[in-house]
Amino acid sequence: MDSEHYRAQFRGIFDALADGDSRPFVAAMADDFTWTMRAADSPWGRSWRGKRAVREELFAPLFAQFATPYRNHAHRILVDGDTVVVLCRGDVVTRAGRPYCNEYCFVIRMRGSQMIELVEYLDTALVHAVLTPPVLAA
């Protein structure tokens, strides 16, 4: 895949996320996809391995905390070979009525048109102030 293909693919994924539709993002995850959140000394600072684990152990408990549709707007998409970097901002209100608007840097490694790895950098102080940590799988 070339840079323009990846740029267009992620523009489409994030256009859908900006409208609250996560289906294109989830569809782009390979079955062996890994999501790593860089949040040192935190229950959020870990990796979820496999599309199923990401959906069940990260997304399900996270999205259960949201009262409004989660939206994410990409501000910049950079491509270098099989690596895509997305600078973006999420926007949602929690069930507790608190806004959760975090800034992210996603560093994504691709295999063809599938994401195989995503490393997330974010404001961990905001995460701790607003969200309940994920439960670690036994």
Side-chain angles (χ1 to χ4, degrees), residues 11-31:
R11 177 56 50 213
I13 287 170
F14 277 86
D15 284 350
L17 281 172
D19 288 334
D21 181 3
S22 63
R23 290 175 298 185
F25 186 93
V26 172
M29 295 187 311
D31 288 338

Side-chain angles (χ1 to χ4, degrees), residues 28-127:
M29 295 187 311
D31 288 338
D32 60 345
F33 176 69
T34 298
W35 186 300
T36 300
M37 201 175 293
R38 295 288 186 202
D41 300 325
S42 164
W44 293 96
R46 62 171 284 208
S47 293
W48 290 267
R49 298 188 193 292
K51 183 175 184 173
R52 183 175 176 183
V54 169
R55 295 184 74 192
E56 293 176 2
E57 299 171 21
L58 174 61
F59 289 176
L62 178 63
F63 281 67
Q65 297 182 55
F66 300 157
T68 60
Y70 177 76
R71 300 178 190 285
N72 194 315
H73 305 269
H75 301 291
R76 190 165 216 185
I77 299 170
L78 306 169
V79 181
D80 182 19
D82 67 351
T83 301
V84 179
V85 177
V86 181
L87 303 175
C88 52
R89 178 181 170 87
D91 180 20
V92 71
V93 175
T94 68
R95 293 191 184 279
R98 300 195 62 193
Y100 179 68
C101 304
N102 211 331
E103 298 279 342
Y104 304 96
C105 176
F106 295 149
V107 180
I108 303 160
R109 195 163 49 98
M110 301 295 291
R111 180 176 57 227
S113 61
Q114 296 282 288
M115 296 185 292
I116 58 171
E117 179 182 42
L118 183 149
V119 178
E120 174 183 358
Y121 299 89
L122 70 163
D123 179 349
T124 56
L126 179 61
V127 171

